[in-house]
Amino acid sequence: MMQTIDLRGIQPNRAAFTSLVPRPAVDVSVALHVATELIDDVRSRGRAALDEQAEKFDGGRANSIRVPATEIEAAVRALPGDVREALEEAIARVRLATAAQVPAEVVTTIGPGATIVQRWQPVARAGLYVPGGKAVYPSSVVMNAVPAQVAGVRSIALVSPPQRAFGGGVHPTILGAAGLLGIDEVYAMGGAGAIGALAFGVEEIGLDPVQVITGPGNIYVAAAKRVVRGQAGIDSEAGTTEILVIADDSADATLVAADLVSQAEHDEAAAAVLATDSPDLAERVARELERLAAATRHAERVATALSGPQSAIVLVDDLAAAAAFSNAYGPEHLEIQTAEPEAVLADIENAGAIFLGAHSPVSLGDYLAGSNHVLPTGGQARFSPGLGAYSFLRPQQVIRYDRYALGVVAEGIVALSGAEDLPAHGEAVTARFRAH
């Protein structure tokens, strides 16, 4: 079912491994043209464009793109008891873990009368994208909204694709999760057009532009986030899910296979990768994949994902090489199922989220670990973090010098401004010491 890539005997350096990691045949760049056209259409025609895109790509146009508050309130009341309880537990756990991501204000005294304050200022308004294609993701409501709220964002707009089964409206479970979090500005729209609407606003439906857009989506959503970057900030281009498992011969093949299948069920383009130094484990996992993939509800989707070019069993010489391969790959989710996972962790640099040991599956992080499941994909974990409170915060330095403190450095400022042939810079300082 899965291809095998044999990297044994290859020098485990980043340059060698980067060209050999399995990737999807289609990446975000191929969707940029379409995403740009859809965004431009929304900018020029507003609601009419959103309605047409809803009919063409999603579940049909909604009677009201903005969901009435009464509908959100009804969705909260209609949540099944076990689902509501799980969502409330997820909210509490993510809120607790996210609080650690808000730095305290720090005052640095440079000298007498000279201070710099480092503060972290939240954006005033954020837009949250919650996907709604092949599955329903109330957990993504939690993962997007809680960090924004913890950061101190005052105004939050949430968008999710219209569902044909609900008359072109947002899925009730999504609405219920939003209501539990106190979010009452929800719009039935999806895809690239929704990202454009958040970035530029749509006056006729009362949608004001946002400063930051977060949340996962398909390749067109990821492309749209790249297009609007500059008009609005983004968390990362969080696209189709990825899992990389590093395992040795101590790992349970059934658990490894179950974790690979769990992420493959998201989408036909989902990536599932095992890196191991044990050919015996590789064979056992391959057999278990055949069995588990055939038995799961979304068997056809899983089979497509596991047999795609983005998925593979990768053989390496040792666990150090497995870590080097992982760093070159930069996985969204990294599981380490080895006899000594902490030793492997010491060699890991690039990953969206890391799950240690046999009892920390990615599914835990998807729902109730307290960590965030909105993570960079497509190798972007090599340079981008997952979603957190910091995604909505901007570091700012507040500089305060009195006359004495400025006088201490005045001569140096004049010297440097002269060296740069910018004399007015120095004159702006010396002007403060002339008699008026």
Side-chain angles (χ1 to χ4, degrees):
M1 178 176 289
M2 289 176 73
Q3 65 174 318
T4 298
I5 300 175
D6 194 341
L7 300 183
R8 290 174 295 181
I10 295 177
Q11 183 68 27
N13 61 59
R14 195 159 302 179
F17 279 168
T18 298
S19 63
L20 297 171
V21 297
R23 292 292 186 199
V26 177
D27 66 20
V28 169
S29 62
V30 304
L32 286 174
H33 178 69
V34 172
T36 301
E37 287 186 341
L38 294 171
I39 291 169
D40 288 345
D41 194 25
V42 170
R43 291 186 68 186
S44 62
R45 297 196 302 122
R47 173 164 187 167
L50 290 171
D51 284 342
E52 289 178 14
Q53 291 176 24
E55 289 283 7
K56 185 175 182 180
F57 302 115
D58 294 312
R61 68 182 69 192
N63 291 328
S64 172
I65 293 181
R66 178 159 181 177
V67 180
T70 54
E71 194 173 327
I72 298 172
E73 293 164 2
V76 173
R77 292 193 298 270
L79 283 171
D82 58 343
V83 174
R84 177 168 183 159
E85 184 178 344
L87 283 171
E88 288 174 338
E89 181 66 18
I91 290 167
R93 288 174 177 246
V94 175
R95 199 178 297 281
L96 181 64
T98 304
Q101 298 170 348
V102 181
E105 182 175 285
V106 177
V107 179
T108 302
T109 300
I110 306 296
T115 61
I116 295 177
V117 177
Q118 177 68 63
R119 71 174 189 173
W120 297 80
Q121 189 75 0
V123 297
R125 181 164 167 79
L128 316 180
Y129 187 92
V130 177
K134 295 180 174 67
V136 182
Y137 294 103
S139 58
S140 286
V141 178
V142 176
M143 300 295 174
N144 276 276
V146 170
Q149 292 175 337
V150 170
V153 178
R154 296 190 304 275
S155 176
I156 297 174
L158 185 148
V159 302
S160 191
Q163 306 291 309
R164 200 169 301 280
F166 300 99
V170 174
H171 195 288
T173 311
I174 300 293
L175 293 179
L180 285 178
L181 285 154
I183 296 174
D184 59 8
E185 186 181 350
V186 181
Y187 300 87
M189 55 176 148
I195 299 298
L198 287 172
F200 295 98
V202 181
E203 187 175 356
E204 61 193 295
I205 62 171
L207 174 58
D208 291 330
V210 303
Q211 292 162 270
V212 171
I213 300 171
T214 69
N218 63 21
I219 191 171
Y220 295 100
V221 170
K225 289 168 81 174
R226 184 180 297 183
V227 171
V228 303
R229 180 183 285 178
Q231 173 66 25
I234 66 169
D235 51 345
S236 66
E237 296 172 13
T240 310
T241 193
E242 304 163 348
I243 178 174
L244 169 61
V245 181
I246 295 176
D248 60 14
D249 58 6
S250 71
D252 185 318
T254 300
L255 298 183
V256 172
D259 292 350
L260 295 172
V261 168
S262 75
Q263 297 306 299
E265 77 171 339
H266 274 285
D267 192 277
E268 289 83 353
V273 180
L274 166 64
T276 182
D277 61 350
S278 170
D280 178 63
L281 176 72
E283 291 180 9
R284 287 185 283 124
V285 170
R287 289 195 298 271
E288 286 297 287
L289 283 172
E290 294 278 358
R291 182 179 68 85
L292 295 176
T296 193
R297 176 183 299 180
H298 303 295
E300 185 175 347
R301 186 188 306 165
V302 168
T304 301
L306 294 179
S307 60
Q310 73 277 9
S311 298
I313 294 175
V314 179
L315 295 173
V316 292
D317 288 317
D318 51 36
L319 292 179
F325 172 82
S326 178
N327 287 330
Y329 186 94
E332 177 190 20
H333 306 105
L334 171 62
E335 287 188 1
I336 303 177
Q337 296 193 37
T338 62
E340 298 183 25
E342 297 283 352
V344 177
L345 177 63
D347 290 332
I348 297 299
E349 300 171 3
N350 307 323
I354 304 168
F355 300 81
L356 292 185
H359 300 291
S360 302
V362 168
S363 298
L364 172 67
D366 284 339
Y367 298 114
L368 284 168
S371 57
N372 203 293
H373 77 202
V374 181
L375 301 165
T377 61
Q380 292 188 82
R382 292 175 294 115
F383 49 82
S384 293
L387 183 63
Y390 41 74
S391 304
F392 304 93
L393 294 169
R394 298 154 298 168
Q396 296 174 338
Q397 291 183 315
V398 181
I399 299 94
R400 176 174 291 162
Y401 273 51
D402 62 17
R403 191 174 192 277
Y404 171 80
L406 180 61
V408 170
V409 295
E411 186 176 335
I413 294 171
V414 171
L416 288 172
S417 68
E420 294 187 352
D421 194 26
L422 298 171
H425 282 60
E427 291 162 5
V429 172
T430 57
R432 287 166 164 76
F433 296 95
R434 295 194 194 103
H436 293 287

